[in-house]
Amino acid sequence: MLRQVSEVCAIYCATANQAEVILAEIAGGRGILGVVDGAVPAGIEQEADIAEKQSLLRRIGYKL
């Protein structure tokens, strides 16, 4: 059955919100332009928010 699919792509989006994939098609083929998170932003990040985010990233092993 997979052979019948002309293109296969896995898109991983780290959100619990509804997301929309933006596609483009030209004569040479198709491509993914991006993914839009459907949520309205909560506001501007404050210094405490940035520090909390960096702490989380360090705990999960992401190098800053």
Side-chain angles (χ1 to χ4, degrees), residues 30 32 37 48 58:
R30 297 181 197 132
I32 297 171
D37 184 336
R58 285 189 191 101

Side-chain angles (χ1 to χ4, degrees), residues 17-58:
N17 302 322
Q18 185 175 4
E20 186 174 344
V21 179
I22 302 170
L23 303 171
E25 184 172 358
I26 59 174
R30 297 181 197 132
I32 297 171
L33 297 178
V35 178
V36 177
D37 184 336
V40 176
I44 299 172
E45 272 187 323
Q46 302 297 320
E47 291 298 320
D49 301 321
I50 294 169
E52 183 180 346
K53 178 177 63 177
Q54 289 175 344
S55 174
L56 170 67
L57 292 173
R58 285 189 191 101

